[in-house]
Amino acid sequence: MSGSYGASGPAACHFAHYFVICGIDTESGLESDELAGENFEQSPLKRTFKSKVLAHYPENVEWNPFDQDAVNMLCMPKGLSFRTQADQRLPQFHSFIITKEDGSRTYGFVHTFYEEVTSPQICSAMQTLYQMHNAEHATPQPTSSSSSSSSMDSLASSLDEADPSSSSASFSSPAVGGYDLSRDTLYVTKALCLITPMPFMHACRQFLSQLHRAVTVVPAPPLPLESYVYNILYEVPLPAPGRTLKFHGVFEPIVCQRPGLGELQLADFPLSEAFSLLGVENLVQVFTCTLLEMQILLFSQDYQRLMTVAEGITTLLFPFQWQHVYVPILPASLFHFLDAPVPYLMGLQSKEDTDCSKLELPQEANLCFVDIDNRYIELPEDFPQFPNKTEFIQELSEVLLSFGISSNMGAPPRTHRSPVSNPCTLSRERKAMALQQLEDDGRNGNLAGEELAVLELLQGNTTLERLQALTKRTGVTVACVDALRARVKSQLTDKPGAQTVAEDEELRNAKLNVQLREVFASRFITMFADYEAFVIQSAPDLETWLTNREQMHNFDKASFLSDQPEPYLPFLSHFIETQMFATFIDNKIMSQWEEKEPLLRVFDARIDKAHLYNVRAPSLRSSSYQRCSVLKESALAIEQRLMKVDHTAIHPHLLDMKIGQGKYEQGFFPKLQADVLNTGTANNKWFQRTATTQRKQDQHRQQTAHLSLDNNLKERYMQEARSLGKNLRQPKLSDLSPAVIAQTNWKFVEGLLKECRMKTKRMLVEKMGHEAVELGHGEANITGLEENTLIASLCDLLERIWSHGLQVKQGKSALWSHLLLYQAREEKAEQQSHAESPTPHVAERRKSDCCLSMPGLCVTLIQDMRHIQSMSEIKTDVGRARAWIRLSLEKKLLSQHLKRLLSQQALTKNLYKRYAFLRCEEEKEQFLFHLLSLNAVDYFCFTSVFTTIMIPYRVVIIPIKKLSNAMTTSNPWVCVSGELGDSGIMQIPKNVLEMTFDCQNLGKLTTVQLGHDNAGLLAKWLVDCVMVRNEITGHTYRFPCGRWLGKGVDDGSLERVLIGELVVPCGEEDPRRGCYTPPLQRSPSQIRRISITSMSGRGSKPNSAQIQEAVGEAVSNIIKHFHKPEKERGSLTVLLCGENSLVAALEQFFHHGFKSARLFQKTMFIWDFVEKAGASMESADQMGDFQGPLGMTCQSLCHYINAINSTSRSIGKDGKFQLLVCLGTRDYLLPKWLPLLVECPVVQQMYEDTALLRDSSTVSALIRNLETLRDFPITLESSLVKGIDL
């Protein structure tokens, strides 16, 4: 959610909007809180009961209507809690946030304390409950707890299960003896709350603590309580930006400050506590999950810890803002919101000794689980690390150490929850930690009443500590200690210029907060220093932009990523797809028509300053870590502001109250005088002054309103523009009727469908390149990094869809659990059909006219599941589900498989509630249709990711059957190579043209080496092509040959290197027939050989212009290859040796005008010319004709020719020429060799006068073309250079 504070109009004037009192309603009596997970097995003192808002002042504020249900729910999230005099009854403080549907926030700060129950009806009711409870448990009865059909019900019960503590974990457990009306004094919780527009946590905490202390101390304060409440509601203003405000509490003054317009926004929650609770590394990991908009669930016994961590993390997001569901304290009645299939940041209150490993959360595939109390986190799988994480953690640790805080707190992140092995050790650690926290709280002034005084008095005195514990158990208070504390406090505050310990601590926390936040902000300034250059601003005005927002592309993601350092890419490619980044770019675009959003204004100013002082490294692609340079400056600004009070609010004063009003009984916080507190603004001079200014501002806004877009229309457009996949921005706390819950779930369904439509459209557009072409970004290709990010995002979406509305959670991956149940049913049905009918079931086979000789392939959903299950490398259900999605997507079967899975309606009905997405028929059909559209493009998302798995391959060799020598007596062999490796040489059994083999994933196949040993009488072999198929993905490659392998035939080659092409299926029934991806490059075919060698009259010879164009295109393709990202380049072998390759183009060049066919003589090949030229140059070199560099070049050419001739491989004359070109290109020698070949006397004997090789200008152009390859590191596949010794 966006973190906007306050509102327009008078809201900006008030420090607080409401003062609220929550507690027990003596008129309605005890009402059990069923929504809070009531457990009647517990003793009555452990149960939770409904609380109510007893009073709130004023009655209503126009600009912030009072939401009674939400405030009551968040003031007392677990309802009322009862205690007796034998229990500890420490006051507690926590805060909360109410986030409205438009994203604006209101903050609540709550002081909870125990108050004696004076109502005889309540005490009698508690006595009766205890009598009933004791009667029910007098004799042991078998418990028959039916298993809940809802995963959310089981979550609630698991939180209450075997709980020896109270329902509100902040308080200690009651005595074993229970409650006796005649013996015990009953106490119940009451809460005082301030609702404020801005998060002044420390100020509100001090005010509420002093207000509560006013009814417990003797003597009472001089003014009635109404005066202090009236003062903070109506007479204390918000501090102006960059100013400090002092106002007066009941006993002591309170100071708060507000950052200036150019500073980071207000953040009053102590970041030091968040880092202490989690540890630096854990907090950085949770922060990264938040940036990537994963589902984040915080888990703690303490409400304030939940708020501290949640607010701390969202504060550090600057300049970005959390855009999704944000409920740091999730009331028990809202547990069903954990079922939300959207990103969220929620806090769940745990109970003491709750085993978090037994929590049945609705979905965990994309969940970051944060157990704050036990200091460990569980991260999602496939989790990219934050850039420069190690250096980043080091800098944060140094900042903490400079304030005396150790950075070695928290445990390293764990990927799986595991119970603690030694409970005794954990218990001791918890006790030690609790004592340390008690001391810290004392220093912070967080403990009220006698606890603070006793802590000050009893430092290190064990005897008095035991006495104190005894007095607590008996309910006795130590009044003299109160007096001592009051005197010490007054002495401290009376000294001029003296600072209290609390003020020192507040200053220290403020300085640490801002320094830690500056370190985080510095990272974003470094990463996004040039983001503005990639913002696409194409709309002429705001209204046009808002209207067409969904169809517009606002940020050039591909160009931005290409400009980033390689280590940053895994994180940035995911982050720029998030809603918070999209909103940030939206705000940037809108800033050209309206005032900049505050966070954006500060961020842009920081970037301008960084550019001005040249803070950023000169190279944009540098990944070197840059430390924050403004730490001292930021801390000094805070210190100067806190040391100097800019404005002092009006002192609390007597109000116009009747005689007798304002009195109260000591120890009981009363209902205040509503008639005084509800009409505060009428006689408020300060408010009248500010209201006059406000009216002028309102008039000015009304005069200019007609010039801008209507606010309601704008807000509607913005909500729609930002609602990608999250139609429900925030759960509504105030209305939990079945109709509202049903409407909420329907919004979830609509949001999931819209998100699916947007994601599939994005994947199609990016893959087909339309966006890149329209924007003029050159080649229309998506990078592998972007593709992988989009596919990972699709996997997350499918997991969220399958998690929505689950009846009972089966495993961490809802999709894989569904698939396993489907598999079990199908295999059981198959066994039954086999038993009934002995006829074997014929599996579905894929046929294709393009590969009739290749056997059919089974393509069932079950078969693909078995492939995934056989992959030992994948250890988790989430990983298996994602692998299955990737495999189905690569095979173009994802929509078909999911349709098949959902066709078992009985299974779906058993697994999902009625409102679940998968049971909404119309939306489900649209969802499958959107997935079907992905069949229009080719993905290799399975092959390219799972690079270490073993894959079965099938090889089929197809001879030219119409010629006699289709079979050979020799011993053939084959070697298959791909982008990830090769299979090694494998012998093929004689007279067998088909074989299978298992090999580690070869990736996309590139070449096949095929040969034989020339043994036997029929040692000649005419091969049409070789077919190779990946038996898991079904990808089939064709390697054309069309030539002889044998001595004394063709060019005498016994082995050939064939270049592959992916076969495009063309069978009508094939589900992949809609593929438009162009085929890969081909190996030189027989037709091309015939045309360039003129072995027959067929085929037309290319003219000189076509040959020169072919050479230029081949060189250009190689240059383009190296300008692509390294992971996207594919096979260089195809560009060197395939069809339209460099070798093919140079063959055409050398064949032009070549006297190859001679009457009654054998055919001459280009290699014959090269050999003769080499021999001629060798003899000339021996005669001393070549001197200096020319002589060295001559020697290198002769050396390469001799090395190729002396190889043990029988690669034939064309193969030798291909090898010479490849080696010459790799070693940058080809441009140097050409002049020698041209000047050689052999040229005149073997070439006609019109040959290109005898045209000096053409040869010079060729040399210039080849010299452009000198800047690129050309490496050759081992299949090309095997056996060559240079």
Side-chain angles (χ1 to χ4, degrees):
M1 305 301 303
S2 63
S4 55
Y5 309 129
S8 61
C13 303
H14 292 162
F15 180 89
H17 288 172
Y18 293 98
F19 176 75
V20 187
I21 307 172
C22 293
I24 188 168
D25 185 358
T26 54
E27 295 181 3
S28 60
L30 284 181
E31 295 181 70
S32 61
D33 194 353
E34 298 175 0
L35 288 174
E38 179 61 39
N39 188 348
F40 289 102
E41 294 299 313
Q42 293 180 327
S43 65
L45 282 181
K46 291 183 182 180
R47 299 176 191 171
T48 54
F49 299 89
K50 285 184 180 179
S51 63
K52 290 192 177 178
V53 174
L54 303 179
H56 66 277
Y57 314 100
E59 190 66 31
N60 198 47
V61 176
E62 181 184 352
W63 53 86
N64 183 15
F66 186 73
D67 191 337
Q68 181 162 309
D69 291 332
V71 171
N72 178 47
M73 202 179 293
L74 292 168
C75 279
M76 294 186 158
K78 297 291 279 187
L80 296 169
S81 178
F82 285 88
R83 293 289 177 272
T84 67
Q85 79 284 350
D87 306 313
Q88 281 191 339
R89 303 183 304 281
L90 303 182
Q92 297 291 323
F93 174 84
H94 78 271
S95 46
F96 63 82
I97 286 178
I98 297 178
T99 310
K100 300 177 184 177
E101 291 190 7
D102 64 354
S104 62
R105 292 178 179 178
T106 299
Y107 290 82
F109 302 97
V110 186
H111 180 88
T112 307
F113 56 95
Y114 280 97
E115 194 172 83
E116 184 180 340
V117 178
T118 57
S119 167
Q121 293 87 354
I122 300 296
C123 295
S124 299
M126 182 60 71
Q127 177 82 25
T128 304
L129 286 174
Y130 252 104
Q131 291 171 351
M132 294 170 60
H133 177 77
N134 293 336
E136 289 174 5
H137 292 78
T139 55
Q141 296 178 355
T143 57
S144 57
S145 59
S146 59
S147 62
S148 171
S149 62
S150 167
S151 60
M152 296 318 306
D153 296 338
S154 62
L155 170 61
S157 63
S158 68
L159 288 172
D160 291 326
E161 190 178 56
D163 177 26
S165 72
S166 68
S167 60
S168 180
S170 302
F171 305 101
S172 302
S173 59
V176 178
Y179 173 69
D180 187 333
L181 179 60
S182 62
R183 180 191 68 202
D184 297 321
T185 304
L186 190 63
Y187 295 86
V188 68
T189 46
K190 179 176 277 189
L192 307 179
C193 173
L194 274 180
I195 306 292
T196 66
M198 298 185 74
F200 292 106
M201 188 201 74
H202 287 99
C204 293
R205 186 172 195 161
Q206 292 178 54
F207 177 83
L208 292 172
S209 175
Q210 293 183 38
L211 196 63
H212 173 232
R213 205 189 318 160
V215 299
T216 61
V217 299
V218 178
L223 296 174
L225 298 179
E226 285 83 354
S227 293
Y228 303 105
V229 175
Y230 180 96
N231 180 251
I232 201 167
L233 287 177
Y234 301 115
E235 296 174 333
V236 178
L238 280 177
R243 301 295 184 201
T244 304
L245 168 75
K246 182 168 84 171
F247 64 95
H248 293 268
V250 181
F251 299 106
E252 299 161 3
I254 300 169
V255 177
C256 59
Q257 61 87 26
R258 184 176 175 185
L261 296 177
E263 300 177 63
L264 300 177
Q265 78 271 34
L266 175 66
D268 211 23
F269 290 84
L271 286 175
S272 58
E273 186 177 342
F275 278 93
S276 300
L277 289 169
L278 292 182
V280 179
E281 182 176 359
N282 281 356
L283 191 137
V284 169
Q285 296 287 59
V286 177
F287 171 74
T288 309
C289 287
T290 310
L291 284 170
L292 300 179
E293 294 186 341
M294 298 176 175
Q295 292 177 325
I296 298 155
L297 182 62
L298 309 177
F299 195 64
S300 173
Q301 296 181 44
D302 191 293
Y303 296 124
Q304 187 59 13
R305 285 185 174 184
L306 295 173
M307 273 296 296
T308 299
V309 173
E311 277 294 285
I313 289 170
T314 53
T315 296
L316 296 172
L317 294 175
F318 169 85
F320 308 103
Q321 295 171 296
W322 180 255
Q323 297 293 314
H324 301 275
V325 176
Y326 182 67
V327 189
I329 298 175
L330 184 68
S333 55
L334 288 180
F335 279 170
H336 63 277
F337 267 95
L338 291 175
D339 194 22
V342 294
Y344 59 68
L345 201 168
M346 298 195 202
L348 187 62
Q349 192 258 356
S350 65
K351 295 193 174 182
E352 189 177 349
D353 298 329
T354 299
D355 185 358
C356 60
S357 64
K358 294 182 180 178
L359 286 179
E360 293 189 6
L361 301 171
Q363 49 190 317
E364 297 182 62
N366 199 36
L367 180 73
C368 173
F369 182 83
V370 184
D371 188 342
I372 298 173
D373 299 335
N374 290 317
R375 296 181 175 182
Y376 77 80
I377 63 176
E378 182 178 344
L379 299 172
E381 296 184 22
D382 301 329
F383 176 71
Q385 297 298 320
F386 192 75
N388 297 116
K389 176 186 159 190
T390 304
E391 297 92 337
F392 184 43
I393 289 174
Q394 178 64 30
E395 185 176 10
L396 291 171
S397 301
E398 290 175 9
V399 173
L400 289 167
L401 282 172
S402 70
F403 285 83
I405 299 175
S406 171
S407 60
N408 297 322
M409 288 175 285
R414 307 180 192 178
T415 53
H416 299 284
R417 305 192 198 118
S418 57
V420 180
S421 56
N422 190 341
C424 297
T425 305
L426 179 62
S427 178
R428 284 197 298 271
E429 288 176 355
R430 279 182 175 168
K431 287 176 182 175
M433 187 170 70
L435 287 172
Q436 182 64 41
Q437 287 163 357
L438 187 66
E439 293 174 10
D440 291 343
D441 281 346
R443 285 196 301 271
N444 283 314
N446 296 342
L447 297 181
E450 73 265 22
E451 264 55 53
L452 178 58
V454 171
L455 185 66
E456 294 170 352
L457 185 66
L458 305 183
Q459 281 291 1
N461 193 324
T462 54
T463 304
L464 289 178
E465 284 177 357
R466 287 199 296 272
L467 284 173
Q468 185 208 9
L470 180 62
T471 59
K472 282 184 186 176
R473 287 198 294 274
T474 57
V476 178
T477 58
V478 188
C480 62
V481 176
D482 275 330
L484 175 63
R485 179 202 50 75
R487 285 199 300 273
V488 171
K489 287 279 183 182
S490 63
Q491 289 170 7
L492 285 173
T493 52
D494 286 345
K495 292 180 182 178
Q499 276 194 296
T500 65
V501 174
E503 288 172 345
D504 286 338
E505 192 69 19
E506 184 176 350
L507 174 60
R508 176 177 173 275
N509 278 333
K511 291 167 68 175
L512 177 56
N513 263 22
V514 74
Q515 289 199 2
L516 289 170
R517 294 171 65 202
E518 288 290 357
V519 174
F520 279 82
S522 175
R523 299 307 308 132
F524 288 122
I525 290 168
T526 301
M527 283 190 281
F528 295 98
D530 298 301
Y531 84 95
E532 195 170 353
F534 304 97
V535 176
I536 302 168
Q537 305 200 14
S538 54
D541 54 68
L542 178 60
E543 186 170 0
T544 303
W545 182 83
L546 290 171
T547 306
N548 301 299
R549 165 67 186 87
E550 194 173 299
Q551 288 76 37
M552 286 187 171
H553 299 286
N554 297 329
F555 192 73
D556 185 357
K557 296 175 181 177
S559 297
F560 174 77
L561 289 175
S562 67
D563 204 33
Q564 303 309 308
E566 184 76 20
Y568 290 11
L569 295 180
F571 169 79
L572 286 176
S573 62
H574 283 78
F575 178 66
I576 62 175
E577 298 293 335
T578 60
Q579 190 63 34
M580 73 173 72
F581 184 77
T583 303
F584 174 76
I585 297 301
D586 287 350
N587 289 336
K588 180 64 180 177
I589 292 175
M590 288 193 296
S591 69
Q592 63 184 316
W593 299 296
E594 58 181 30
E595 187 179 356
K596 272 189 181 180
E597 192 268 339
L599 294 182
L600 178 65
R601 182 181 65 245
V602 176
F603 187 66
D604 282 353
R606 297 286 182 94
I607 288 178
D608 292 342
K609 184 177 179 182
H611 285 156
L612 182 65
Y613 290 101
N614 197 24
V615 171
R616 197 172 185 209
S619 171
L620 292 177
R621 299 186 62 82
S622 170
S623 59
S624 60
Y625 187 78
Q626 297 171 38
R627 300 173 71 87
C628 180
S629 59
V630 295
L631 294 182
K632 292 182 180 178
E633 175 187 329
S634 58
L636 185 62
I638 289 283
E639 184 171 6
Q640 290 175 344
R641 193 156 54 238
L642 279 175
M643 298 298 285
K644 175 192 171 186
V645 175
D646 297 298
H647 178 74
T648 301
I650 299 173
H651 284 243
H653 52 83
L654 280 172
L655 302 176
D656 186 12
M657 296 172 62
K658 297 177 183 177
I659 297 176
Q661 287 184 338
K663 291 187 177 180
Y664 53 85
E665 185 180 352
Q666 186 184 1
F668 296 88
F669 198 93
K671 280 192 177 181
L672 305 179
Q673 299 301 313
D675 55 340
V676 176
L677 296 179
N678 285 337
T679 56
T681 57
N683 300 317
N684 186 345
K685 296 179 180 178
W686 183 89
F687 177 79
Q688 289 173 353
R689 289 198 303 268
T690 54
T692 304
T693 306
Q694 190 62 46
R695 278 195 298 271
K696 292 179 180 178
Q697 293 175 354
D698 291 341
Q699 290 172 2
H700 176 71
R701 275 200 300 271
Q702 290 169 6
Q703 291 170 1
T704 57
H706 68 278
L707 300 176
S708 62
L709 187 66
D710 178 74
N711 283 335
N712 293 330
L713 177 64
K714 173 187 167 185
E715 181 60 29
R716 180 171 65 82
Y717 279 135
M718 286 306 302
Q719 291 296 327
E720 292 175 358
R722 295 172 178 171
S723 64
L724 174 59
K726 57 172 193 61
N727 283 25
L728 186 77
R729 291 170 62 90
Q730 190 69 15
K732 191 169 183 178
L733 307 184
S734 57
D735 189 353
L736 297 175
S737 63
V740 170
I741 293 176
Q743 183 182 10
T744 299
N745 282 308
W746 183 247
K747 287 184 178 180
F748 282 146
V749 170
E750 289 181 330
L752 288 169
L753 182 61
K754 182 176 182 180
E755 188 175 355
C756 179
R757 175 172 62 83
M758 296 299 292
K759 283 191 187 300
T760 52
K761 178 182 176 182
R762 172 83 196 281
M763 290 173 71
L764 280 172
V765 169
E766 292 285 3
K767 188 71 175 176
M768 299 172 79
H770 291 168
E771 174 187 356
V773 171
E774 289 172 0
L775 298 175
H777 295 318
E779 280 199 297
N781 273 327
I782 182 176
T783 67
L785 187 69
E786 289 175 280
E787 178 180 311
N788 197 47
T789 301
L790 293 173
I791 291 169
S793 177
L794 178 67
C795 292
D796 293 339
L797 172 63
L798 293 181
E799 281 290 1
R800 284 190 277 121
I801 286 175
W802 254 258
S803 298
H804 183 237
L806 265 177
Q807 295 274 17
V808 180
K809 184 172 174 290
Q810 301 286 335
K812 285 197 172 183
S813 170
L815 174 57
W816 188 251
S817 300
H818 194 170
L819 285 167
L820 289 175
L821 292 171
Y822 171 85
Q823 183 184 26
R825 288 198 177 199
E826 287 291 297
E827 289 177 345
K828 184 178 179 181
E830 189 177 345
Q831 290 172 1
Q832 290 175 351
S833 64
H834 277 308
E836 294 170 3
S837 172
T839 307
H841 175 70
V842 179
E844 177 187 354
R845 291 185 177 273
R846 177 176 292 180
K847 298 178 181 178
S848 174
D849 297 337
C850 299
C851 49
L852 293 173
S853 56
M854 183 69 79
L857 182 68
C858 180
V859 290
T860 63
L861 186 158
I862 299 295
Q863 186 61 41
D864 285 346
M865 283 190 66
R866 288 171 182 160
H867 286 314
I868 302 303
Q869 288 165 327
S870 66
M871 293 167 58
S872 60
E873 294 83 357
I874 304 176
K875 309 294 184 185
T876 64
D877 286 352
V878 174
R880 293 185 187 97
R882 294 186 176 188
W884 182 84
I885 292 169
R886 287 176 176 275
L887 177 60
S888 302
L889 190 60
E890 184 165 323
K891 297 177 76 168
K892 301 183 186 292
L893 293 171
L894 182 58
S895 178
Q896 180 178 319
H897 279 346
L898 292 179
K899 185 175 183 179
R900 180 69 182 161
L901 175 65
L902 297 173
S903 65
Q904 285 196 359
Q905 295 186 0
L907 176 60
T908 307
K909 194 172 182 179
N910 288 340
L911 291 177
Y912 292 93
K913 299 172 185 173
R914 182 62 193 91
Y915 64 78
F917 180 93
L918 297 177
R919 291 189 62 186
C920 300
E921 292 301 321
E922 185 176 342
E923 285 71 23
K924 183 177 69 177
E925 288 301 317
Q926 293 182 52
F927 159 70
L928 293 173
F929 176 77
H930 291 318
L931 292 182
L932 184 64
S933 66
L934 295 176
N935 290 4
V937 291
D938 276 347
Y939 287 102
F940 288 87
C941 50
F942 179 85
T943 303
S944 60
V945 168
F946 300 100
T947 57
T948 60
I949 63 173
M950 297 297 291
I951 290 183
Y953 292 91
R954 183 180 297 273
V955 178
V956 177
I957 299 165
I958 302 174
I960 297 180
K961 298 179 180 178
K962 54 188 176 183
L963 299 175
S964 56
N965 288 351
M967 301 296 289
T968 178
T969 57
S970 59
N971 299 301
W973 55 267
V974 68
C975 176
V976 182
S977 300
E979 293 179 351
L980 302 177
D982 64 67
S983 64
I985 291 177
M986 300 174 292
Q987 296 295 326
I988 304 173
K990 286 186 179 180
N991 300 325
V992 173
L993 298 176
E994 181 179 336
M995 65 178 289
T996 58
F997 66 93
D998 289 341
C999 179
Q1000 184 170 307
N1001 186 1
L1002 300 175
K1004 294 180 184 177
L1005 302 186
T1006 54
T1007 63
V1008 161
Q1009 290 173 259
L1010 182 67
H1012 62 81
D1013 62 358
N1014 202 40
L1017 296 175
L1018 295 175
K1020 299 174 183 177
W1021 197 13
L1022 185 57
V1023 177
D1024 179 45
C1025 67
V1026 177
M1027 308 288 292
V1028 183
R1029 183 172 68 200
N1030 181 322
E1031 294 291 274
I1032 292 182
T1033 66
H1035 283 313
T1036 304
Y1037 296 82
R1038 184 173 184 270
F1039 297 85
C1041 178
R1043 300 188 69 178
W1044 287 95
L1045 284 85
K1047 290 289 186 182
V1049 64
D1050 205 334
D1051 65 345
S1053 175
L1054 293 181
E1055 66 174 90
R1056 296 199 183 277
V1057 179
L1058 311 178
I1059 311 298
E1061 59 181 358
L1062 185 64
V1063 174
V1064 181
C1066 54
E1068 289 185 4
E1069 74 287 354
D1070 195 284
R1072 300 194 307 172
R1073 57 185 270 214
C1075 174
Y1076 303 112
T1077 305
L1080 301 179
Q1081 296 278 4
R1082 305 181 180 186
S1083 60
S1085 64
Q1086 177 67 14
I1087 295 175
R1088 198 197 85 203
R1089 295 287 180 179
I1090 291 173
S1091 67
I1092 62 179
T1093 57
S1094 300
M1095 291 175 65
S1096 69
R1098 292 181 301 158
S1100 57
K1101 295 181 181 180
N1103 58 41
S1104 59
Q1106 291 172 331
I1107 293 172
Q1108 292 178 70
E1109 183 181 349
V1111 172
E1113 186 179 347
V1115 172
S1116 175
N1117 287 337
I1118 294 174
I1119 294 173
K1120 288 179 183 177
H1121 168 88
F1122 285 103
H1123 278 96
K1124 292 179 183 177
E1126 189 172 348
K1127 295 178 181 178
E1128 310 308 319
R1129 291 175 182 173
S1131 173
L1132 184 60
T1133 304
V1134 171
L1135 302 178
L1136 290 171
C1137 307
E1139 186 140 13
N1140 303 322
S1141 65
L1142 181 63
V1143 170
L1146 289 178
E1147 279 183 341
Q1148 290 182 345
F1149 189 92
F1150 275 88
H1151 266 288
H1152 188 267
F1154 184 56
K1155 303 173 182 176
S1156 57
R1158 289 171 171 77
L1159 193 62
F1160 306 118
Q1161 293 181 22
K1162 66 178 182 179
T1163 302
M1164 299 292 288
F1165 291 84
I1166 298 175
W1167 185 251
D1168 293 321
F1169 159 70
V1170 172
E1171 280 185 316
K1172 288 185 178 182
S1176 172
M1177 281 185 275
E1178 258 186 334
S1179 61
D1181 187 40
Q1182 291 170 1
M1183 298 283 293
D1185 292 349
F1186 297 110
Q1187 299 294 329
L1190 195 60
M1192 294 179 65
T1193 304
C1194 172
Q1195 290 171 12
S1196 69
L1197 176 58
C1198 296
H1199 175 59
Y1200 276 67
I1201 292 172
N1202 293 332
I1204 292 171
N1205 275 329
S1206 60
T1207 180
S1208 58
R1209 296 171 61 188
S1210 301
I1211 55 176
K1213 294 180 178 180
D1214 281 344
K1216 290 177 179 179
F1217 177 75
Q1218 173 177 288
L1219 188 53
L1220 181 68
V1221 172
C1222 291
L1223 291 171
T1225 305
R1226 181 194 70 181
D1227 299 335
Y1228 314 118
L1229 293 171
L1230 208 52
K1232 297 179 180 180
W1233 291 342
L1234 276 173
L1236 292 175
L1237 292 173
V1238 170
E1239 298 298 329
C1240 181
V1242 181
V1243 171
Q1244 298 174 2
Q1245 302 170 17
M1246 303 187 71
Y1247 280 88
E1248 298 169 357
D1249 293 340
T1250 57
L1252 289 175
L1253 201 60
R1254 298 183 68 176
D1255 183 348
S1256 59
S1257 61
T1258 306
V1259 172
S1260 297
L1262 174 61
I1263 292 172
R1264 286 195 301 272
N1265 248 334
L1266 294 174
E1267 281 178 341
T1268 59
L1269 300 177
R1270 293 187 63 87
D1271 299 330
F1272 306 105
I1274 293 173
T1275 55
L1276 303 177
E1277 274 192 34
S1278 58
S1279 59
L1280 295 176
V1281 297
K1282 193 182 296 180
I1284 302 299
D1285 182 15
L1286 292 172

